[in-house]
Amino acid sequence: MSREVEALRESLDVLARNAASCFQPELQAVFRAIDPARFDALRHSPVALLAGLDEARLAELATDRAFLARVRAARSHLETYLADDETWADRWAGGLGARPVAYFCAEFGLHESVPLYSGGLGVLAGDHIKASSDLGVPLVGVGLLYHHGYLTQRLAPDGSQLEEYPETDPRTLPIEPVDGVEISVQLRDRTLHARLWSMRVGRARLLLLDSDVPANTPEDRDVTAYLYGGDERIRIRQELLLGIGGVRALRALRIRPSVYHLNEGHSAFATLELLREHVVVEACTVEEAIARVRRAVVFTTHTPVPAGHDRFDPALVLEHLEPLARSVGMSDDELLGLGRVDPGDESESFCMTVLALKLSRRANAVSALHAEVSRRMWQPLSPGRPEHEVPIAHVTNGVHVATWMAPSIQALFARHAEPDWTGRQADPDTWGIVERIEDVELWATHCELKRELVRWIRERAAREAERRGEPSAVVAAQRLALDDDGLLVGFARRFATYKRATLLFDDPEALVRLVGPRSGRPVCVVIAGKAHPRDEGGKAMLRAVFQASRDERLLGRVVVLENYDLEVARRLVCGVDVWLNNPRRPLEASGTSGQKAVLNGVLHCSVLDGWWAEAYDGRNGFAIGEGLVHADPAVQDRRDAEDLIRVLRDQVLPLYEERDAHGVPRRWIERVKRAYRTLAWRFSAERMLIDYVREAYLPAAGLLQRGPSGI
Ligand SMILES: *Cc1c(COP(=O)(O)O)cnc(C)c1O
């Protein structure tokens, strides 16, 4: 191998080994240029692409001056990014310094090629890490390495969900084994072992525990095989590894966090390990230890329904945690009491959310409305306090701009602003520059994105229908009866029943009148989503939606795509005209896909739930209904279904169809610009992270923030 070839391989390796190469567009572009078709087939994984890159192609690239220049630029871009010492955090959160935030989550959705997520929670955690890297907030993520990740979805000809669980080869992930570190957790009858992997995510780091080691029983080797796949017993062991194993992993690497952030209750056992440390190492009483643990722990709850909170049978808890309880001199009842609203109530199961609420200094929900619901739900934990004084605040979710905003739109903004606006995305002024962009220019950029998306949907939907063996007329119809001028509506998310994917189909005749053959501009709807493998209700909804889309009059107007993932999400939120969100209020804690849409000049049309309840101002999108809740869900569903059709027919479509002499929808664009101005900064992951730093991390680290606002 010549020196040039060697040097090129080394540079590409450096780029690929940082997960930033998955989501920074400049870095992705380098790998795409090597072999676009294979890159697509490998789900845009730089590591996988490099692993299979043959010497001949590498040698050829080493003589391609333009490519070499591109690699040099990308490497310098990454190195400059990593070395930046004037980040937001350097100025405003410098005190965190060498004592990072430990951020625990059961899933991390960083990129389609890193399948360690199932849906919104994971994508949020991924965006949280990315924003911490951009802002320079020192943060170490703690999670699990799933060998099969979440399910891969196919649909049967009748719309039934077919699930596959392809194995992830760790060599295709941007991770490194952490040698010489073994984590173990003592159960009642044996020890659970795990190894550790480390991923660099820009400046941040993600530690992943993996139970697939020879020291474990075959059953325990499979603890981290599937994401949310196992029974109660697997699940409690996953959570034991995540929480207790996670704290031990930090210790093994001599990382001493100043703050422990539990993102959802799955990792709440971490508090028990911290408690144990205080008792055993510092000789505290359990009571003192609890007070100390609480000082450093921050908890985010994501679930507005009581049944959605993780609970375990007391016997199962004791089987797994008795050794820990004994080591600190805690009785079974004391241990179980930490997971019960009423510690003395033996009929209560052990709830991870209760544990997290009891052992954290600060709990927050993920939107203002969700905080209200959570305060009501957990009021019994604050006896004697009125609901509004229950100590659960909120930090509304936000999304990572560089991940979710189409590169062409980023370029458009960059042309009108200073080029590097990372670190200033939470500043409203940053987004005010949308007013400097000509309507025509913004519209042309959007139309190009839509054209690209329609091409992609056509190809993919037809291919999927063909594989299902559907009639050729149906296959042909998947080529989408949409030209440039048509209105494209998107709906994609997990098929949890409360998200009501079937709402649009409630009155089939009304839907046919709206999207079926009509004079005026065509209207199409594209739908995607996975149901949890054990959620029969969600699967039934998926089947119903799929079958409805096979109504002759809706063929080619309503298209259902398989295997929703980060890539499908990214493509859809970049290229549709309207993003639909119609959960049953108040069950959507926040929702984030609509925030991604807003970044791309796509108008959000949603029930006033989650983030939209605090975001909608009458002119920055569309509202379905008036934010009412009915005691009878059936009544609420019917009312919302009618409203949904009404809003699309009477507000969305007329505004979209209203054009000037050049075919530009001026008033539509006015709304798009207003959405950018009023929403993009508020619902960016940078704003979310800054809120966490100010309201949670700095106080927990004993560093109260003072002085000017600093964004
Ligand atoms: C953003 C995202 C979600 C969350 O979508 P909601 O509308 O908030 O439910 C789920 N899955 C993927 C792949 C996403 O990118």
Side-chain angles (χ1 to χ4, degrees), residues 176-489:
E176 316 269 351
V178 181
D179 293 326
V181 170
E182 207 208 273
I183 311 298
S184 62
V185 180
Q186 184 65 46
L187 315 183
R188 190 191 268 157
D189 61 347
R190 64 178 187 282
T191 305
L192 181 59
H193 301 273
R195 63 191 297 203
L196 198 58
W197 299 85
S198 170
M199 186 192 301
R200 259 171 299 163
V201 185
R203 277 182 273 254
R205 189 171 181 192
L206 174 57
L207 300 176
L208 298 164
L209 289 102
D210 172 5
S211 73
D212 186 18
V213 294
N216 275 334
T217 63
E219 191 195 342
D220 287 346
R221 288 188 80 145
D222 277 346
V223 165
T224 54
Y226 297 94
L227 174 56
Y228 305 144
D231 57 10
E232 289 249 290
R233 194 167 289 274
I234 300 273
R235 214 174 151 91
I236 196 169
R237 284 181 200 161
Q238 287 188 334
E239 298 188 6
L240 223 54
L241 271 189
L242 177 63
I244 297 176
V247 173
R248 292 184 183 168
L250 293 165
R251 299 296 180 255
L253 298 179
R254 299 180 198 289
I255 298 170
R256 295 208 62 87
S258 51
V259 184
Y260 299 83
H261 184 174
L262 313 177
N263 193 40
E264 190 53 311
H266 308 115
S267 57
F269 289 142
T271 60
L272 299 180
E273 171 63 5
L274 295 172
L275 186 152
R276 189 193 65 82
E277 287 182 338
H278 284 296
V279 172
V280 173
V281 182
E282 293 165 35
C284 292
T285 63
V286 168
E287 226 167 49
E288 264 171 32
I290 288 178
R292 289 187 190 191
V293 171
R294 291 191 55 169
R295 249 176 261 154
V297 175
V298 171
F299 170 52
T300 301
T301 177
H302 291 263
T303 317
V305 259
H309 294 267
D310 236 5
R311 287 172 192 279
F312 292 112
D313 183 65
L316 198 64
V317 172
L318 293 178
E319 184 186 327
H320 290 87
L321 282 156
E322 204 179 58
L324 187 142
R326 289 296 168 276
S327 72
V328 298
M330 230 192 315
S331 70
D332 290 356
D333 287 343
E334 279 175 293
L335 171 67
L336 294 175
L338 292 174
R340 286 174 171 152
V341 175
D342 174 2
D345 179 358
E346 288 184 9
S347 71
E348 237 185 278
S349 55
F350 187 95
C351 176
M352 298 299 277
T353 306
V354 172
L355 175 64
L357 287 168
K358 287 190 175 184
L359 275 99
S360 56
R361 64 177 289 123
R362 183 184 198 281
N364 69 270
V366 290
S367 71
L369 179 60
H370 177 223
E372 267 176 50
V373 172
S374 301
R375 285 192 290 265
R376 191 171 320 138
M377 183 157 49
W378 298 112
Q379 197 282 330
L381 275 173
S382 306
R385 280 205 205 189
E387 214 171 277
H388 67 271
E389 281 182 18
V390 171
I392 300 179
H394 73 274
V395 174
T396 305
N397 289 341
V399 295
H400 184 247
V401 173
T403 297
W404 294 108
M405 195 173 186
S408 60
I409 303 228
Q410 291 188 44
L412 189 57
F413 272 75
R415 269 212 296 287
H416 293 269
E418 293 140 64
D420 184 16
W421 52 334
T422 298
R424 287 182 291 113
Q425 288 157 2
D427 181 348
D429 290 345
T430 301
W431 298 94
I433 59 166
V434 71
E435 296 300 348
R436 290 188 221 151
I437 303 174
E438 293 282 347
D439 288 359
V440 184
E441 206 181 359
L442 190 56
W443 188 243
T445 309
H446 168 70
C447 288
E448 183 48 42
L449 284 166
K450 181 158 73 172
R451 227 168 285 141
E452 207 175 291
L453 173 65
V454 168
R455 266 198 300 271
W456 180 80
I457 294 173
R458 281 188 174 143
E459 207 261 316
R460 180 163 171 138
R463 186 161 25 90
E464 290 175 356
E466 198 163 11
R467 195 181 40 223
R468 280 190 295 266
E470 295 195 76
S472 56
V474 175
V475 174
Q478 301 311 307
R479 305 194 69 80
L480 216 60
L482 193 78
D483 55 26
D484 266 13
D485 288 337
L487 177 78
L488 184 56
V489 180

